[in-house]
Amino acid sequence: MASEGFHSKNEIGQPAQSFPSMWGDTFISKNIDTHEVQVKYDESVAPLREQVREMLMAKESKTSTDKIALIDLLERLGLSYHFEKEIDEHLELIFRESSASNFIAMEKYDLFNTSLLFRLFRQHGYIIPCGVFDRFMKDTDDEFSSDLKSDIKGLLSLYEATGVRIQGENVLEEAITFTTYHLNRFRSEIDSNLLIREKVSRALHQSIHREVPIIGARYYIPIYEKEESSNELIVRFAKLNFNYLQSLYQKELFDLTRWWRDSKICWKVPYVRDRIVESYVWGVGMNYEPQYSFARTAVAKAVQLTAVLDDTYDTYAPLEDLEIFTQVLQSAEIGEIDRLPDYQKEIYKFIWRMYEEFDSEASKHGKHYACSYFKESVKQLYLAYHKEANWYRRNHVPPFEDVVSLGLVTSTLFMLVSASYLIGPATQPHFEWLISKPQIAVATAHFGRYMNDRATNERESKIFNDGENVTAVDCYMKQYGVSKEEALNKFAQLAEEMWMTMNKEWVETVSVPRQCLRPFLSYGRLAITCLEKGDGFTYPEEVIKSHILALFVDPIL
């Protein structure tokens, strides 16, 4: 997350502009009794969960298409974590049947179910060819049959399937153009069904595969409730489940806000963006399920730390201060702290308190090695920030290839994934795999970096009082002799290419468990949510305020 702000060159302690939180005491006004909430939730949900499990396991009453639709529904409503084993077994069974016939068995499905199954298979890591859509094409011109244009349900499902495409899948590239045109046409028709129009608008705004799952669930539950065919039991289960999760999030936000205020960083280092609530969005987006409380808060704290470091290196501290600060951080000797000005002493102590906290928690779970990987990711990040500061603060325009290479680190991906790995299924070999820079990590980091550079370019270029600052976009413009608009369009194209690579690596990477791969897709989805429409981290009121209210404030009634 690139910092934004206004540089005051030689007035340490007197920043020209600070970024206070817009949330005030919203999340610290009451402390939730999670034990009481848990007891009430368990009593209410247990019978509902068992009835839904019976629906999943029923053999006679449900066709394969019914089961596919039910699995998709549970995932979209945020309920699938209750039934992971059952869902995996069903998809494995259907996949074996389909792949055994070289996917000829899928010809029994219509466009809606073919598209739905294709998306679900890929989202669950199965390799399925895009050739399953060939039968919906014309014999010539590589275009979809015009007979499909009135099948809105099928078109919507096909549109959603394009979100999991990889490079070279021309049929899905054609599907994007075809479905987008006809879905927009349907949306503009006055007499179109209002509920379907709402679904279409939601999909065109944010497709399922690209959306943060818990945010998608929050918005989809009320939509599903309005369907004539909605299952009242499942609706009730989904509402109870979301409101329960929200109560957990509120408790965690209470504790996080207290932690952040107790650190006193936002008072002692007033130029730092006070964004603990926005940081927590990243924590929830990485792991929304109730059992990942520590991972959520660890990621949130790590994100806030990136803001502290980024604002220091990119915006506020003079270069001579940064040189000493970097040396002291690298030395890891507490006695070196006396070399620092007071504001940097506070940052140094903040970082080391976080290290101690993370090490203590990971060690309790037998992972004595885990925090060393997080520390190394922080080190690589501040070294990269230091290099960037020397480039941009001196108005040096480096080769774009160098910017891209450094962006692997400044994307913050490796630091955030390391934080999410501290407790949970990740073992030491998985940390080693992470630092080897596997292709899914490289693609995800570049995706986030391109999204960030597009979102923050205008504001970054005005960080300093003279209104001039070199950005990654400037580097591309200079090297390739293009306009700013052309450069920004290129960044969007590069980001899309990286998204497709992420999709490819998601299904092809089999050396690590899905739970250790999931943070990469989650990071990409968060980048879309927080950066596609602007810098949602620095200016949440313009981009993600509505999501924060929906997730953490407003229950589903």
Side-chain angles (χ1 to χ4, degrees):
M1 278 138 279
S3 69
E4 316 297 341
F6 295 87
H7 182 64
S8 183
K9 293 181 180 178
N10 295 307
E11 297 180 16
I12 298 301
Q14 297 295 325
Q17 182 179 359
S18 61
F19 293 88
S21 172
M22 67 176 290
W23 301 104
D25 293 334
T26 301
F27 299 105
I28 206 169
S29 58
K30 68 174 182 176
N31 193 2
I32 304 291
D33 183 347
T34 53
H35 175 71
E36 181 181 347
V37 170
Q38 181 76 53
V39 170
K40 290 182 179 179
Y41 172 75
D42 288 341
E43 291 175 352
S44 301
V45 159
L48 301 177
R49 182 168 49 226
E50 289 312 305
Q51 290 179 68
V52 173
R53 180 172 284 110
E54 289 174 6
M55 293 181 194
L56 268 174
M57 301 306 292
K59 295 181 179 179
E60 294 81 12
S61 61
K62 292 286 182 181
T63 65
S64 59
T65 54
D66 288 335
K67 290 284 180 67
I68 294 166
L70 180 57
I71 289 170
D72 182 55
L73 177 62
L74 295 175
E75 293 190 345
R76 295 194 65 184
L77 295 176
L79 295 171
S80 58
Y81 71 90
H82 292 278
F83 312 104
E84 288 182 355
K85 181 175 178 290
E86 292 86 353
I87 288 173
D88 288 344
E89 288 176 354
H90 279 302
L91 288 177
E92 174 67 24
L93 184 65
I94 298 170
F95 183 80
R96 282 206 310 268
E97 174 191 302
S98 301
S99 60
S101 64
N102 199 26
F103 297 98
I104 294 175
M106 287 186 64
E107 292 184 3
K108 65 185 177 183
Y109 300 125
D110 59 9
L111 179 61
F112 171 82
N113 284 298
T114 299
S115 302
L116 174 55
L117 196 52
F118 178 84
R119 173 171 60 80
L120 285 177
F121 276 155
R122 287 213 174 165
Q123 286 179 319
H124 283 262
Y126 291 100
I127 298 176
I128 177 173
C130 64
V132 297
F133 294 106
D134 288 348
R135 62 194 172 92
F136 298 106
M137 307 285 284
K138 291 181 179 178
D139 292 334
T140 58
D141 300 327
D142 290 330
E143 294 180 354
F144 279 90
S145 171
S146 59
D147 295 340
L148 302 173
K149 64 184 181 181
S150 60
D151 180 9
I152 298 302
K153 187 178 177 183
L155 288 175
L156 187 55
S157 185
L158 177 57
Y159 176 81
E160 294 290 5
T162 65
V164 296
R165 75 192 186 282
I166 62 177
Q167 289 96 333
E169 295 188 320
N170 295 332
V171 65
L172 291 178
E173 294 293 340
E174 170 62 26
I176 295 174
T177 303
F178 182 78
T179 56
T180 301
Y181 174 79
H182 289 292
L183 290 174
N184 274 314
R185 175 186 55 79
F186 172 82
R187 188 170 57 168
S188 66
E189 293 175 356
I190 297 175
D191 60 347
S192 58
N193 182 287
L194 291 178
L195 183 57
I196 298 178
R197 189 193 303 175
E198 184 178 5
K199 287 184 175 183
V200 168
S201 296
R202 182 71 194 160
L204 292 173
H205 171 72
Q206 193 69 278
S207 63
I208 295 170
H209 185 58
R210 290 175 181 253
E211 189 163 46
V212 176
I214 190 61
I215 294 178
R218 175 60 179 85
Y219 295 127
Y220 187 64
I221 292 170
I223 293 175
Y224 174 67
E225 185 180 19
K226 288 184 282 189
E227 289 188 8
E228 288 185 11
S229 61
S230 65
N231 184 300
E232 184 179 338
L233 182 150
I234 292 177
V235 170
R236 190 160 71 250
F237 186 11
K239 287 183 177 182
L240 284 169
N241 184 71
F242 178 83
N243 290 338
Y244 165 68
L245 291 175
Q246 186 179 78
S247 68
L248 297 186
Y249 301 157
Q250 290 170 343
K251 169 60 177 173
E252 290 168 9
L253 264 175
F254 176 90
D255 293 338
L256 267 174
T257 305
R258 288 285 299 271
W259 170 87
W260 175 238
R261 290 189 179 185
D262 288 347
S263 76
K264 297 184 171 55
I265 287 289
C266 49
W267 289 287
K268 294 183 177 180
V269 191
Y271 60 81
V272 166
R273 287 168 291 173
D274 184 351
R275 294 292 180 269
I276 196 63
V277 175
E278 292 73 18
S279 298
Y280 183 66
V281 171
W282 285 75
V284 171
M286 286 278 202
N287 295 281
Y288 80 89
E289 299 92 336
Q291 65 268 33
Y292 297 115
S293 177
F294 178 82
R296 279 192 291 278
T297 57
V299 168
K301 291 174 181 180
V303 172
Q304 183 63 71
L305 175 57
T306 67
V308 173
L309 289 171
D310 197 13
D311 292 348
T312 299
Y313 278 94
D314 194 30
T315 307
Y316 192 71
L319 286 175
E320 54 270 26
D321 279 9
L322 292 179
E323 190 67 38
I324 299 171
F325 185 52
T326 304
Q327 292 173 8
V328 172
L329 285 175
Q330 281 188 275
S331 73
E333 295 290 338
I334 192 65
E336 292 285 291
I337 195 173
D338 292 334
R339 297 175 59 194
L340 301 175
D342 288 344
Y343 76 104
Q344 289 186 347
K345 288 178 181 175
E346 296 301 327
I347 298 171
Y348 184 93
K349 289 186 286 187
F350 175 70
I351 293 171
W352 284 95
R353 283 196 300 268
M354 187 180 295
Y355 288 165
E356 290 172 353
E357 176 191 339
F358 284 2
D359 188 42
S360 174
E361 288 299 318
S363 295
K364 290 176 185 176
H365 291 77
K367 299 173 73 169
H368 304 279
Y369 53 84
C371 193
S372 64
Y373 291 95
F374 177 74
K375 288 180 182 179
E376 180 60 25
S377 69
V378 175
K379 176 182 175 181
Q380 294 304 316
L381 184 63
Y382 66 68
L383 289 175
Y385 282 159
H386 190 210
K387 189 170 187 176
E388 271 192 341
N390 277 294
W391 283 347
Y392 299 149
R393 302 269 284 273
R394 299 180 193 278
N395 285 320
H396 171 61
V397 183
F400 184 66
E401 293 76 15
D402 291 353
V403 175
V404 172
S405 178
L406 201 64
L408 276 179
V409 182
T410 60
S411 69
T412 73
L413 171 80
F414 292 92
M415 180 181 171
L416 301 190
V417 175
S418 294
S420 74
Y421 278 9
L422 286 168
I423 290 178
T427 61
Q428 191 162 7
H430 300 134
F431 279 97
E432 289 292 327
W433 170 80
L434 174 63
I435 64 174
S436 74
K437 294 183 172 60
Q439 190 56 41
I440 192 170
V442 172
T444 306
H446 285 323
F447 176 79
R449 191 67 259 177
Y450 292 134
M451 293 291 292
N452 188 295
D453 289 336
R454 292 188 80 250
T456 64
N457 177 69
E458 284 299 321
R459 296 181 182 110
E460 274 200 333
S461 66
K462 299 174 183 177
I463 283 177
F464 301 115
N465 287 336
D466 58 12
E468 304 245 349
N469 186 40
V470 177
T471 68
V473 173
D474 294 323
C475 296
Y476 187 89
M477 291 168 59
K478 179 179 179 181
Q479 184 162 328
Y480 294 100
V482 298
S483 68
K484 179 175 288 188
E485 181 180 2
E486 289 172 317
L488 291 172
N489 288 338
K490 182 63 176 179
F491 276 45
Q493 177 189 329
L494 291 170
E496 192 62 27
E497 290 174 3
M498 291 301 101
W499 180 263
M500 289 189 284
T501 300
M502 290 162 61
N503 285 337
K504 177 176 180 288
E505 294 301 318
W506 170 256
V507 297
E508 293 185 357
T509 303
V510 296
S511 58
V512 296
R514 290 283 138 197
Q515 188 57 36
C516 292
L517 288 178
R518 197 176 70 168
F520 300 101
L521 277 184
S522 298
Y523 174 98
R525 290 162 173 162
L526 283 157
I528 293 170
T529 297
C530 297
L531 297 170
E532 191 168 45
K533 304 300 182 183
D535 183 359
F537 187 77
T538 303
Y539 302 103
E541 64 278 4
E542 299 176 9
V543 181
I544 63 170
K545 176 184 176 182
S546 60
H547 298 325
I548 291 173
L549 290 172
L551 283 179
F552 308 139
V553 177
D554 301 328
I556 301 180
L557 303 176

